[in-house]
Amino acid sequence: FDASSSTVGTHVEEEDGIGCGDDDGGTKDRRAIRGQLVKHGALWTAQLIWALMHVYSNRALEHIKPTAFCAFRLTLALPFLWYSARREGGEIPLSAWRWVLAMGVSIGAAYLMIFVCNRRVGATLTASVQPLLPVSVSVLSAAVGLEKFTRMKMLGVFVVFCGTVTALRAYQIFYAGGITVVDVLLLLSQTNSYSVYAVLLGLATKRWPYPLRFLFYATVVSAVGVSLIAIPTFKSTDFAAVPASAWGAVVFAGLASSVIAHSLNSWAIARVKGVLPTVYSGIQVIFTIILASIFLDERFDWDRGVGIVVTLSGVALVAKAKFAESHDETADVIRTTTHSVKTTNTTTPVASADNQI
């Protein structure tokens, strides 16, 4: 999506809205409604694409092991990420490369684990932990001093913990045939690894405001690392015997998920309230549950559903706390600006008099 085109569109809407007639007001309202529908449609579409990736890749992972699958996916996405970084402009100095390496390791682990988990526990459970991302980011951000960890956030984290234990049936680690400790750790490492990347990106862009360039370089690092890990798989796999549907899943994950879905999501996030993308993370889970039950015959019992609802409730508490903080920060900025304006107005006559002397 072209940032310049969105700016032009905003300018046109402002000019079209000039006027006091009922027709002008009605046209402006209709355009506002259409704009909201497009933004929410983009968020819905992104979540649907990610749900399709979970389901589509599940069968493909029977033919292509997770390490090779992830390496192919990252390699396919690199040209498009390079183009986005190039359009963003700017440059990252050599002193920032330690940030790039750390981001590459964390985002590479997250991308790899999502396919490892899908292969081990299925698409539904892999999608069920994705709403944990904003909560993990909030906890880690508080740990490094990027944001406060309020009582409401603490409550939200506790609720999320209870919901996740129920959704994953983590208590079954004590029973034979249930989810294993390794499965639980892998699922949680996937979300936490991406959260580490997000926090590192937030810290790095405070000095070098080029998030797309950081993303591209980090993806290069992760692609190289995952490809090295996948060398034994490359040697042992008979890729000529891999069905076309599995290759289609690789292309879908590399282009539809990494490029289209992330572009749609980023475009929409820049134009809606910050709390909405958090809420929409639950839509991905719902889509995955429906699609996995149809195409993968994965069962989804009522207790897991209760766990996901509880998890989303905890996510909503954390999101509400963050939303309140953003309002407080905005109010502080307004008060500071107002005070500065008053001070300027008070001192202006003196300056003017001095100029007349």
Side-chain angles (χ1 to χ4, degrees):
F1 289 91
D2 189 352
S4 60
S5 64
S6 64
T7 304
V8 173
T10 304
H11 179 68
V12 172
E13 286 184 13
E14 290 175 354
E15 287 188 345
D16 289 343
I18 297 175
C20 300
D22 293 337
D23 290 340
D24 291 337
T27 301
K28 187 175 182 180
D29 290 341
R30 285 192 296 272
R31 289 188 175 183
I33 292 172
R34 284 198 299 269
Q36 290 297 322
L37 289 175
V38 170
K39 296 167 192 173
H40 288 276
L43 288 169
W44 276 87
T45 303
Q47 299 301 328
L48 176 59
I49 290 174
W50 284 322
L52 285 168
M53 185 196 72
H54 292 309
V55 175
Y56 197 7
S57 62
N58 182 266
R59 292 285 172 84
L61 291 168
E62 297 176 2
H63 305 281
I64 306 175
K65 291 183 179 180
T67 51
F69 193 102
C70 183
F72 287 136
R73 176 202 180 182
L74 293 175
T75 303
L76 279 173
L78 280 177
F80 299 94
L81 296 178
W82 169 82
Y83 178 73
S84 298
R86 185 170 177 270
R87 292 198 62 186
E88 181 183 53
E91 191 52 69
I92 298 174
L94 289 176
S95 59
W97 276 95
R98 68 179 188 274
W99 292 95
V100 172
L101 292 175
M103 290 182 205
V105 171
S106 56
I107 200 173
Y111 282 143
L112 179 57
M113 285 303 104
I114 204 165
F115 297 117
V116 172
C117 292
N118 197 331
R119 184 75 180 94
R120 291 177 63 96
V121 300
T124 301
L125 286 186
T126 302
S128 297
V129 298
Q130 299 312 306
L132 297 179
L133 281 170
V135 178
S136 299
V137 170
S138 183
V139 173
L140 291 173
S141 297
V144 298
L146 285 179
E147 62 180 69
K148 298 177 181 178
F149 199 58
T150 61
R151 291 181 180 178
M152 183 174 290
K153 288 182 182 178
M154 292 180 188
L155 176 61
V157 170
F158 176 73
V159 173
V160 165
F161 171 78
C162 295
T164 303
V165 168
T166 305
L168 298 182
R169 290 179 179 167
Y171 49 83
Q172 289 185 348
I173 61 175
F174 303 107
Y175 303 97
I179 193 170
T180 66
V181 175
V182 174
D183 293 334
V184 173
L185 291 177
L186 288 174
L187 285 165
L188 295 180
S189 69
Q190 191 276 318
T191 54
N192 288 328
S193 295
Y194 195 87
S195 300
V196 170
Y197 161 76
V199 172
L200 288 173
L201 183 64
L203 289 170
T205 50
K206 283 181 175 293
R207 295 182 61 184
W208 306 286
Y210 311 115
L212 296 180
R213 192 165 287 270
F214 272 114
L215 174 60
F216 169 67
Y217 289 140
T219 305
V220 170
V221 172
S222 62
V224 172
V226 173
S227 297
L228 291 175
I229 296 172
I231 288 177
T233 301
F234 290 142
K235 291 181 177 180
S236 62
T237 303
D238 181 11
F239 289 108
V242 174
S245 59
W247 290 118
V250 171
V251 174
F252 186 87
L255 300 183
S257 175
S258 298
V259 179
I260 298 176
H262 280 289
S263 297
L264 286 171
N265 201 54
S266 300
W267 179 84
I269 285 175
R271 291 162 176 79
V272 299
K273 292 182 179 179
V275 71
L276 280 177
T278 300
V279 176
Y280 268 96
S281 63
I283 303 298
Q284 180 184 156
V285 182
I286 296 172
F287 277 140
T288 306
I289 291 170
I290 295 172
L291 293 170
S293 64
I294 295 173
F295 298 105
L296 302 178
D297 296 325
E298 290 188 6
R299 290 185 57 190
F300 189 80
D301 298 320
W302 67 269
D303 59 324
R304 293 190 187 277
V306 170
I308 289 175
V309 171
V310 173
T311 299
L312 292 175
S313 300
V315 172
L317 286 173
V318 174
K320 183 178 180 181
K322 292 173 71 70
F323 190 62
E325 286 177 2
S326 66
H327 271 267
D328 292 340
E329 291 174 358
T330 302
D332 290 341
V333 171
I334 292 174
R335 283 195 295 269
T336 302
T337 304
T338 303
H339 177 72
S340 300
V341 170
K342 288 181 178 179
T343 303
T344 302
N345 290 339
T346 302
T347 58
T348 298
V350 177
S352 176
D354 291 340
N355 289 333
Q356 291 175 358
I357 293 175

